[in-house]
Amino acid sequence: MIPAAFDYYAPTSVDEALALLREHDDAKVLAGGQSLMPVLRLRLAAPEVIVDLGRIAELRGIRDDGDALVIGAMTPHSVVQADPSIAEHAKLISLAAAAIGDPQVRHRGTFGGSLAHADPAADLPAVVVALDAEMVIQGPDGRRTVGAADFFEGVFTTTLSEDELLVEIRVPKYTGWGAHYEKFSRVAQQWPIVAVAAAVRLDGGTIAEARVGLSNMASIPVRATAVEQALVGQPATAEAVRAAAARAADGTSPPTDLNGDAEYRRHLASVLTRRAVLSAAGAG
């Protein structure tokens, strides 16, 4: 199908983009377009105005800011995946970015665009929640920072107002941590039925810290805190990790759809968490 007619703007600065959003009530923001364009073509959305962020250079790039890495919202997944500082200090992000779609999607899709879209089955939201990333939002009153766990409010819903933009993501450094991203899909390049993002810090052969995020186990990405707590102080063995991973679905509310019911997803969460943690710990 052909999208409904709309006015198109391509600002070259964040301030110009924000002015356009204030001026037009029925505007949609175009980042990489991997989620928005199919919706427009199917006429599931018919905005009067499209504001394309693709020409705003200040929204692209990755920089080291001391104890954190800062990722511009319009940085493509392929750039994030290949960046050596991300691989060294936030390996989990590199692994998840490499698992997104296919090469074409990774070259066009953007880090911030995926997060702002807030699909609970997407790859990145559970990763930034697991890593306690901070979302930097700019609006008419300046900038504000929101923790990743508070950024996502529901299916396709975030704390962003209609006149605000996600401009960058601050990720604490996890230098020396092991990481692994595990997801299960029915066919290649499909949204995961369940995905697990795991990062582990070992002290000798003991798990000193663990962070585990789950995709598609609720209307928002969630931390598997019961698993994290059960892992700390335990040896990085198959038996210990299996016992902790059995609690992966605690406190979740997985959906039921054509890909599987809630109980199936709970089982998957446990299996994938065990695999992800063992691999992150170097024991998989």
Side-chain angles (χ1 to χ4, degrees):
M1 293 180 65
I2 299 174
F6 54 80
D7 293 330
Y8 173 83
Y9 297 91
T12 57
S13 71
V14 172
D15 288 339
E16 185 183 351
L18 291 173
L20 287 166
L21 294 180
R22 290 195 299 272
E23 181 182 351
H24 302 282
D25 293 333
D26 186 26
K28 286 287 186 183
V29 172
L30 176 65
Q34 302 306 291
S35 300
L36 180 60
M37 295 308 295
V39 170
L40 294 179
R41 291 188 64 185
L42 293 173
R43 297 203 178 190
L44 297 175
E48 296 178 359
V49 172
I50 294 292
V51 178
D52 185 351
L53 306 183
R55 297 183 183 179
I56 305 180
E58 64 191 283
L59 292 181
R60 294 179 181 268
I62 299 163
R63 72 177 191 274
D64 190 313
D65 192 29
D67 60 352
L69 297 175
V70 182
I71 304 172
M74 285 294 292
T75 307
H77 302 309
S78 58
V79 173
V80 173
Q81 173 190 348
D83 187 85
S85 64
I86 296 290
E88 180 180 2
H89 302 297
K91 182 180 179 182
L92 184 56
I93 290 178
S94 294
L95 298 174
I100 296 172
D102 55 29
Q104 292 91 334
V105 169
R106 293 193 290 273
H107 277 81
R108 291 294 303 172
T110 62
F111 196 81
S114 176
L115 297 174
H117 185 56
D119 188 332
D123 294 288
L124 293 178
V127 174
V128 296
V129 168
L131 296 181
D132 272 339
E134 293 182 327
M135 324 298 277
V136 181
I137 297 166
Q138 188 166 334
D141 298 323
R143 290 194 172 192
R144 63 188 179 98
T145 300
V146 178
D150 298 318
F151 179 75
F152 302 100
E153 296 184 336
V155 178
F156 306 129
T157 306
T158 71
T159 189
L160 283 168
S161 299
E162 292 183 356
D163 58 354
E164 292 182 317
L165 292 173
L166 175 63
V167 293
E168 62 187 29
I169 299 90
R170 296 180 58 86
V171 183
K173 289 182 177 179
Y174 292 87
T175 313
W177 286 52
H180 189 75
Y181 184 69
E182 187 84 24
K183 68 177 181 178
F184 182 80
S185 304
R186 291 179 58 221
V187 296
Q189 301 165 14
Q190 187 186 41
W191 297 117
I193 299 173
V194 174
V196 178
V200 172
R201 182 176 69 83
L202 296 179
D203 184 1
T206 300
I207 298 174
E209 294 182 80
R211 294 178 174 274
V212 180
L214 305 176
S215 292
N216 223 2
M217 287 295 289
S219 61
I220 59 174
V222 295
R223 283 272 292 275
T225 54
V227 174
E228 296 173 353
Q229 293 165 5
L231 286 171
V232 172
Q234 297 298 313
T237 62
E239 182 179 357
V241 171
R242 180 180 288 105
R247 303 190 62 184
D250 287 8
T252 64
S253 53
T256 293
D257 56 28
L258 293 176
N259 290 315
D261 61 16
E263 190 58 33
Y264 176 58
R265 282 187 162 88
R266 292 187 185 98
H267 171 71
L268 273 180
S270 176
V271 172
L272 299 181
T273 297
R274 174 176 56 81
R275 293 177 182 174
V277 172
L278 284 173
S279 293

